[in-house]
Amino acid sequence: MAQPYLVSATAVDTTSKIFINFFANGLALYEVANYKIIYNTVDTDGSPTTASGLLSIPLSNCDSLGIVSYDHGTVLRREDVPSRSNFESTIGKVFASTGYIATMPDYLGLGDNLGIHPYLHAESQATATIDLIRAAREYLAANMPSINLNGEVMLTGYSQGGHAAMGTAKYIQDNSLLGEFDVIAAAPASGPYNLSGSQSDVFIQDLPYSNPGYVVYLLLGMERAYGNIYTNPSDILKAPYDTLIPPFFNGNFDMDTVNQLLPANISGYVEDSVLQAFIADSINQQHPIWQALNKNTNYDWTPTMPLRMYYCTADEQVGFQNALDAETAMQANGASNVNAQLNGNLTHVGCITPSIAAASLFFDSLSTSCSSIVSLVENALRQMSIYPNPSQGKLYFETTTDIDELNITIFSSTGNVMLSKRHLAKEELDISSLPKAMYFVEVRAKESVQRMRILKR
């Protein structure tokens, strides 16, 4: 699609650091300005359309900012999206409050884009994510030229958003877009990456499922994407659900409402003939539903960027085997920096906080954005500058207060102490002996503490 991608930008609100710190455990450094973005993208058939999303900008004087793209989880209600500052958008705002530009697409069929959402359609999730980043760059260049983007892009998302983030990373790599999007890290979490494998057990095993509405969402969404799943809802849904359930997908209802109306077992609401044909075709996988699942399965590829997949073993919505399948396939394909990481025996909701926290630390360990990872005390050291960053081997410390002596500790990205010493504030610090890497610098003066991130080149 030809530029421009940006259609309009509307100021939504400013989120205070105090509010964000309820969710960021005191790590927020900046107020965050939020903008609803309308942008040009493509529909599932490649035709032009417009979509909406949220752009969150830290109110800081940082001169080197990367972009974190956060893809949201499953929502059914049209207004329950980031551009409307829904609750989940707080995750993107947390990233922004620590010194990143954050973008959060609403996806097709949600927010300002009409029609049913093509649920788990990997390509449209990816293009919606990518084109919002492009539109955000255009807005910043035209309206906030003082913001210096360093080109770094980090991708994350949870649940459906994990599937979307994974698909976005794959789409960027497969379509040779790494020159335009320097994806330094991807961190999908609790996503159904293996739709035609691990996640298809919901169809095959006919066990009680916590969110049967997701299955209907998938079938209706894939009909929008491919047009070959059914002619009428009664082709795939049993009575009375064929007439009872589809009206709840008009954008005005939430998923809990749908889940309460459906039986827990798929055999209770999907037509027997459809389910039997699907199961009988589990080897050849030529049934239209199998074809749709295979087209949107995105676990078996070879990421060239560092990639982490976070999961929990008590996840009742997305089987944790999805992450293990992806790790096995990617490593077998030769991916050198890919891992699935366990965040405990937690439920799907319980896994959100540790997963996002882990993704944040992962990004911080690789990014050269000038955000601090933590601020323990509001004090004079908050005004300290550590430069140059990146450094070739020398560091200088500058503060507006009269401090003569500093206690400096430098940690590796894994938490190991690399250097610890008392140091005169006005003298250079020689770090030439340290290997080229990202480090965390802790500076103490009396009762004051400042922690910052540096890159040694």
Side-chain angles (χ1 to χ4, degrees):
M1 173 177 291
Q3 293 183 338
Y5 292 89
L6 179 66
V7 176
S8 66
T10 305
V12 175
D13 57 22
T14 297
T15 309
S16 72
K17 182 175 68 172
I18 293 173
F19 174 80
I20 293 174
N21 270 326
F22 280 103
F23 309 95
N25 295 321
L27 304 185
L29 298 173
Y30 312 112
E31 313 287 303
V32 174
N34 304 296
Y35 297 83
K36 175 185 172 182
I37 302 294
I38 303 295
Y39 60 102
N40 290 312
T41 186
V42 292
D43 212 322
T44 55
D45 61 357
S47 61
T49 189
T50 58
S52 53
L54 192 69
L55 167 64
S56 295
I57 303 170
L59 299 180
S60 74
N61 58 359
C62 286
D63 59 0
S64 177
L65 294 174
I67 294 176
V68 171
S69 169
Y70 178 76
D71 287 322
H72 68 77
T74 304
V75 297
L76 185 58
R77 198 169 65 86
R78 182 177 304 281
E79 297 298 304
D80 188 15
V81 289
S83 71
R84 275 60 165 172
S85 284
N86 69 332
F87 182 76
E88 193 176 357
S89 71
T90 305
I91 294 174
K93 295 168 187 175
V94 168
F95 280 109
S97 75
T98 61
Y100 296 105
I101 300 294
T103 57
M104 292 169 271
D106 295 340
Y107 308 143
L108 298 183
L110 295 168
D112 283 51
N113 190 268
L114 300 179
I116 192 167
H117 168 52
Y119 184 53
L120 294 175
H121 183 252
E123 184 169 340
S124 67
Q125 289 173 163
T127 52
T129 301
I130 290 166
D131 291 341
L132 176 58
I133 296 173
R134 288 167 166 155
R137 286 173 168 174
E138 290 177 5
Y139 176 77
L140 293 171
N143 297 278
M144 299 182 181
S146 61
I147 291 180
N148 179 34
L149 295 178
N150 59 23
E152 296 171 350
V153 175
M154 290 141 277
L155 305 171
T156 188
Y158 193 81
S159 191
Q160 179 191 358
H163 180 268
M166 179 76 85
T168 299
K170 185 177 186 296
Y171 186 95
I172 288 173
Q173 184 172 305
D174 288 351
N175 289 275
S176 302
L177 297 177
L178 287 169
E180 180 182 359
F181 301 96
D182 179 15
V183 181
I184 65 167
S190 296
Y193 320 115
N194 193 359
L195 282 173
S196 61
S198 299
Q199 200 63 25
S200 69
D201 286 348
V202 174
F203 283 85
I204 294 173
Q205 295 185 6
D206 193 27
L207 297 174
Y209 182 49
S210 61
N211 288 69
Y214 289 5
V215 176
V216 178
Y217 209 1
L218 177 68
L219 295 172
L220 300 184
M222 291 304 165
E223 173 60 26
R224 168 174 175 171
Y226 302 113
N228 64 349
I229 304 299
Y230 61 85
T231 301
N232 297 298
S234 58
D235 296 337
I236 55 168
L237 298 179
K238 291 180 175 180
Y241 306 109
D242 57 338
T243 57
L244 174 66
I245 296 301
F248 286 92
F249 285 79
N250 65 2
N252 296 324
F253 299 90
D254 60 25
M255 186 57 72
D256 286 343
T257 302
V258 176
N259 286 332
Q260 292 168 10
L261 293 171
L262 286 167
N265 291 64
I266 191 170
S267 60
Y269 56 92
V270 171
E271 277 289 348
D272 293 339
S273 60
V274 174
L275 199 54
Q276 291 166 5
F278 178 84
I279 294 172
D281 192 36
S282 59
I283 301 300
N284 295 325
Q285 298 189 349
Q286 295 303 304
H287 190 281
I289 297 176
W290 276 120
Q291 291 179 349
L293 294 178
N294 277 308
K295 288 177 181 177
N296 297 285
T297 289
N298 55 23
Y299 78 100
D300 189 0
W301 58 294
T302 313
T304 59
M305 73 284 290
L307 188 144
R308 300 291 180 269
M309 293 162 286
Y310 304 107
Y311 68 95
C312 292
T313 52
D315 193 327
E316 77 287 2
Q317 297 184 28
V318 179
F320 69 88
Q321 189 64 39
N322 281 275
L324 301 182
D325 290 348
E327 179 185 58
T328 298
M330 291 173 178
Q331 292 181 355
N333 292 340
S336 61
N337 196 352
V338 168
N339 293 106
Q341 296 189 359
L342 173 63
N343 277 333
N345 186 35
L346 301 172
T347 65
H348 192 70
V349 172
C351 201
I352 296 173
T353 297
S355 296
I356 299 303
S360 179
L361 289 174
F362 179 45
F363 294 162
D364 284 348
S365 72
L366 297 170
S367 175
T368 62
S369 295
C370 64
S371 58
S372 298
I373 60 167
V374 70
S375 174
L376 294 183
V377 184
E378 296 282 352
N379 54 52
L381 282 186
R382 288 291 306 278
Q383 305 304 318
M384 171 170 285
S385 298
I386 300 179
Y387 65 95
N389 187 15
S391 170
Q392 300 290 339
K394 305 290 184 183
L395 285 179
Y396 298 88
F397 303 84
E398 183 174 295
T399 180
T400 58
T401 58
D402 188 15
I403 297 175
D404 295 323
E405 190 173 82
L406 305 171
N407 290 297
I408 298 173
T409 306
I410 298 181
F411 300 86
S412 71
S413 61
T414 57
N416 296 321
V417 176
M418 307 298 293
L419 182 151
S420 182
K421 65 177 295 184
R422 282 188 168 185
H423 184 73
L424 294 178
K426 296 181 180 179
E427 291 186 356
E428 69 179 28
L429 178 66
D430 186 353
I431 61 169
S432 58
S433 62
L434 296 180
K436 296 178 181 179
M438 184 71 68
Y439 297 95
F440 301 120
V441 181
E442 179 185 86
V443 182
R444 292 180 178 269
K446 299 180 181 179
E447 300 302 319
S448 301
V449 181
Q450 170 73 317
R451 292 189 177 113
M452 302 181 73
R453 183 175 56 245
I454 62 166
L455 177 66
K456 164 69 187 308
R457 286 182 174 168

